[in-house]
Amino acid sequence: MSERPMWKPMRPEELFSRLQLPFVAGVTFVVIAAGLAVPSLWSAGPVLAGVGLPYAASAFFLLPQRAWLLTPWGIVVPLVDIVALALLRASLFPYIPTVGVLCLMPFAWIALRYRWQALALVFLGGLLISALPLLLQVESVSTPLMVLNLLTLPFLTTGISVGIHLAVRSFRRSRQEVEDAARRLQANLEQSRDDEMVLRTVLDTVNGAVAFYNAEGRPVLANRAAHKLTGVVGFRFDEAPYAGPHVFKADRKTPVPCAEQIIPRALRGDAIRNHLEWFGQPGDQVAILSSSGRVHRSNGELLGTVVAAYDVTDLADAIEAREEFLTTVSHELRTPLTSVVGYAEQVIDILGEDAERLGIGTALGAISRNSEVLLERVSQLLTAGNKKMVLAPTVVDVAELVEETVAVMVPLARQAGVALSLECDENVIAELDARRIEQAVENLLTNAVKFTPSGGSVSVRVTHVADGDQVRIAISDTGMGMTADDARRVFDRYYRATAVRKNAVQGIGVGLSIVKSIVSAHAGDVGIESEPGEGTTITLCLPRMREPVAPAEDFALSA
C-alpha cells in the first residue's frame, strides 16, 4: 500500500507567506503611516532597527539551504520579530499605542510550530514589548496602574497563545486519528484488492478449470483454464444447458445424456468426486476429470456451486502408452534374444571351431544379425531414457546437410520402391548442431519410407520462413497417415500408432520423440499434419541464429 499523507508538510515558502510576510507587511504599513504623520521618526534609531530586523529575518527564507527553518532553530525568526516590535512600540507608543497588536503574528508562530515549553518565550516577549517603553524613559513602576499596564499584554497574549497551542494540538490529534482511520480503510481496501487478485491469479494459475455458479444456476466466475477448455469439450460453461452431444463414459464409447453430464448434475446438488468423462468425437477425444461442491453461508443458505475440471488426457494416454510399451518391448527384445540363446546353444552342442566346415556359418550369421538388432533396440532405449541433451552448435548450410542425409537414405528408399525427392532454397544458413539435426532428419526419413507403400513417394523441402528468422524442413509422404489421436501422441516416448501395431511394423516408438527433443533443444517447433490414408507431413521450424538455452530435459542422445 502506498503511504500518501492526507496533509502535506509545510514548506519554508509556505511558512514565510503565512506567518512572516503578514508581520513584515504590518510593520511596513505602520512605519510608513507614522513617518508620514511625524517625519522626524524617519531618522529615529529604534524605528529603523524595528523595520530592518524583520527584513533581515526574512532574508533567511532566501537562502539555498533553508530547511532548518522548519526545525527548532527556526524559532530565531519570530524572536527577532519580537525584538523588532519591542523597539517599534517603544518609539511609536506616544503616536500609535496599538502597534503592539502586531505581536500576535510571532506569538502565533511560536504557538503553532513549537512545543508548550516555548510558550514561556511568548510571556517574556510580551513582557519585553510592554516594559521597553518604560525602560527607555527610565521610569519606575510605582503605581498599581503601571503594573497593570505592564502585565496586561504578556498575560493576554500568553493566554491567546495557549489557546492557539491547545487548538493546534487538538487538531493534530484529530488529524492523526483521521489519517490512521484513512490508512486502515486504505489497508483494508488494498487487502481486499490483493485477496481478489490472489484469488484470480490462483484460479488462473492452476491447470484445472474452475467455475462458480450462483444459487440460481447462473455462472459468476470462471478462470482462464475454464474458458480455454470450452473450445475443447465442444460447449460453453457459461451458456445453458452446460452440456454437449459428444460426451462419453470412461470406455470412450457409451454416450452420456445431457442431463447426466457433469455440470447439470452438480447444479442439481449431486456430489461429484473425480468423475471421468471423455469429450469429443471418436479419434479426437480428451479426458476430463471433474469434481463439484456446494457453497453455503453459516446459516445454511446456499450461495452456489463450484465445479472443477481437469484435462487428464495426457495421463490417460500415458497409462495406455505404458501398457503398450511393455508389450512392445517384450516382443521386440524376446525374438533376438531367443535367436541368440538358441544358436548359442547350437554352437555349444556342435563343439566345432570351423563354423563353415561344421555347417553353422548361417547360424553364426543369424546370431550376428540379431545381435545387431538387439543392440540397436537397446541403444534406442538408452537414448530415450537419458535426461539431458547437450548441443554443439555451428553455422552450417542446412540445405547441404539435408541433401547429404537424403543421399544416405536413397538406397533404402529404392529398395522399398519409394521415390525420394529433395527441393531446397539457396543459402539456407543456420546455427545448429549438425549431427543432431542430421539424426532428426534421418529418423523422419526412415519413418516416412517405412510407412509408405511401394510406389509411393517421400518429398523433402528446405526453405526460409517468410520473416527470415527461421528455416523450415518439411518431410511429406504418401503413406498410411494417422488419426488425430495418433497425431497428438505420436511424439510421446514409446508411443506407436494403432495402424503400426496392427501391421506389426518393427520399432519401439522412440524415433519421433527423439526428433521432438532435438528440435526443442534448438528452441524450435515441430508440426504434424496427417490424415488416415492420405499421408503425413512433419515440419521442423528452427531458428537461424540460436539463442543460448539450458540443456533439454527430454533426452540426451549419446550416439
Side-chain angles (χ1 to χ4, degrees):
M1 184 185 69
S2 60
E3 294 289 341
R4 185 173 60 182
M6 297 181 64
W7 286 273
K8 296 181 180 179
M10 185 177 292
R11 296 175 300 171
E13 297 83 1
E14 295 172 335
L15 190 65
F16 173 78
S17 62
R18 296 177 184 179
L19 296 175
Q20 180 66 7
L21 182 60
F23 178 78
V24 173
V27 168
T28 303
F29 172 79
V30 169
V31 171
I32 292 175
L36 292 175
V38 184
S40 61
L41 293 175
W42 291 112
S43 59
V47 173
L48 296 178
V51 174
L53 287 175
Y55 279 93
S58 299
F60 289 132
F61 291 91
L62 301 177
L63 297 176
Q65 301 295 332
R66 53 182 179 272
W68 62 272
L69 292 168
L70 301 177
T71 68
W73 289 103
I75 200 172
V76 171
V77 175
L79 291 179
V80 170
D81 291 344
I82 292 172
V83 173
L85 183 59
L87 294 174
L88 280 178
R89 187 172 182 274
S91 300
L92 302 180
F93 186 76
Y95 311 105
I96 310 177
T98 57
V99 69
V101 75
L102 291 175
C103 68
L104 292 178
M105 291 296 180
F107 290 168
W109 187 335
I110 294 173
L112 286 171
R113 299 289 302 171
Y114 302 101
R115 300 174 65 88
W116 62 268
Q117 293 88 343
L119 296 177
L121 297 177
V122 172
F123 180 82
L124 295 177
L127 190 62
L128 175 63
I129 294 172
S130 296
L132 189 59
L134 299 177
L135 295 176
L136 293 178
Q137 295 175 9
V138 194
E139 293 182 6
S140 61
V141 182
S142 57
T143 64
L145 184 58
M146 296 181 66
V147 173
L148 181 61
N149 290 332
L150 180 64
L151 299 179
T152 297
L153 182 63
F155 277 107
L156 288 178
T157 54
T158 301
I160 294 173
S161 299
V162 169
I164 294 174
H165 184 76
L166 294 177
V168 169
R169 291 186 59 180
S170 176
F171 171 77
R172 287 174 178 169
R173 284 195 299 268
S174 299
R175 183 181 68 179
Q176 187 63 43
E177 292 173 358
V178 171
E179 288 181 340
D180 292 342
R183 277 192 289 267
R184 288 192 296 270
L185 290 175
Q186 183 69 17
N188 293 336
L189 179 60
E190 292 290 341
Q191 185 64 43
S192 176
R193 290 173 178 171
D194 291 345
D195 292 343
E196 180 182 359
M197 185 62 65
V198 169
L199 175 60
R200 172 57 65 179
T201 303
V202 170
L203 290 177
D204 287 340
T205 300
V206 297
N207 293 327
V210 180
F212 176 73
Y213 298 82
N214 61 18
E216 289 75 30
R218 291 193 297 269
V220 175
L221 176 67
N223 66 348
R224 186 181 296 117
H227 293 291
K228 183 178 180 181
L229 195 59
T230 58
V232 177
V233 301
F235 61 87
R236 296 182 62 85
F237 290 158
D238 54 356
E239 293 181 3
Y242 316 123
H246 303 295
V247 180
F248 303 89
K249 293 184 178 181
D251 60 2
R252 298 196 184 192
K253 299 178 181 179
T254 305
V256 180
C258 289
E260 297 301 321
Q261 293 178 23
I262 296 169
I263 299 178
R265 286 182 55 198
L267 295 180
R268 289 199 305 266
D270 294 353
I272 302 175
R273 292 291 181 272
N274 297 327
H275 178 70
L276 179 66
E277 292 180 352
W278 286 88
F279 293 76
Q281 298 183 4
D284 188 18
Q285 295 178 322
V286 293
I288 303 298
L289 190 68
S290 303
S291 300
S292 69
R294 308 275 269 182
V295 182
H296 297 85
R297 287 194 174 97
S298 57
N299 60 3
E301 180 183 357
L302 177 65
L303 283 178
T305 303
V306 176
V307 179
Y310 302 88
D311 184 346
V312 294
T313 307
D314 292 340
L315 178 59
D317 291 343
I319 295 174
E320 184 178 348
R322 180 190 62 188
E323 301 301 328
E324 295 292 343
F325 166 71
L326 294 176
T327 302
T328 301
V329 169
S330 298
H331 283 86
E332 290 294 332
L333 295 183
R334 182 174 58 189
T335 300
L337 283 176
T338 300
S339 297
V340 171
V341 173
Y343 285 110
E345 290 177 353
Q346 184 177 354
V347 171
I348 294 174
D349 291 341
I350 293 177
L351 297 176
E353 295 182 357
D354 191 345
E356 294 297 333
R357 183 175 59 82
L358 294 176
I360 62 171
T362 302
L364 292 177
I367 292 174
S368 176
R369 288 192 301 273
N370 284 290
S371 296
E372 290 179 359
V373 172
L374 178 60
L375 179 62
E376 176 65 20
R377 298 291 184 268
V378 173
S379 176
Q380 289 180 345
L381 290 175
L382 291 175
T383 297
N386 289 332
K387 297 298 183 181
K388 295 281 187 181
M389 175 184 291
V390 179
L391 300 180
T394 57
V395 177
V396 298
D397 187 329
V398 181
E400 181 179 341
L401 175 67
V402 174
E403 185 177 356
E404 293 175 355
T405 307
V406 170
V408 173
M409 297 299 300
V410 167
L412 178 64
R414 184 180 298 115
Q415 182 180 358
V418 175
L420 184 58
S421 62
L422 172 65
E423 182 180 353
C424 298
D425 289 349
E426 296 182 357
N427 195 30
V428 184
I429 306 300
E431 182 184 9
L432 44 80
D433 189 321
R435 183 169 65 91
R436 302 298 189 190
I437 298 302
E438 180 181 357
Q439 183 178 14
V441 174
E442 183 176 344
N443 283 355
L444 294 177
L445 289 174
T446 300
N447 279 353
V449 172
K450 182 189 300 185
F451 299 118
T452 299
S454 179
S457 64
V458 175
S459 62
V460 183
R461 180 173 174 79
V462 182
T463 59
H464 294 286
V465 178
D467 58 11
D469 292 333
Q470 288 184 323
V471 297
R472 178 180 294 154
I473 305 173
I475 299 176
S476 303
D477 63 60
T478 58
M480 64 179 65
M482 62 186 75
T483 66
D485 276 340
D486 289 334
R488 186 178 66 249
R489 301 171 58 188
V490 72
F491 294 105
D492 294 343
R493 207 177 310 174
Y494 313 123
Y495 178 75
R496 305 185 75 215
T498 303
V500 173
R501 296 195 301 270
K502 288 181 178 180
N503 294 330
V505 180
Q506 289 189 349
I508 57 175
V510 297
L512 292 181
S513 63
I514 292 175
V515 171
K516 183 177 181 181
S517 176
I518 292 174
V519 175
S520 297
H522 285 81
D525 296 314
V526 181
I528 182 169
E529 297 178 3
S530 185
E531 291 290 339
E534 299 293 332
T536 301
T537 298
I538 296 180
T539 304
L540 312 183
C541 290
L542 301 167
R544 293 186 64 252
M545 301 305 294
R546 177 177 174 271
E547 297 181 0
V549 295
E553 291 289 344
D554 292 333
F555 300 100
L557 308 184
S558 54

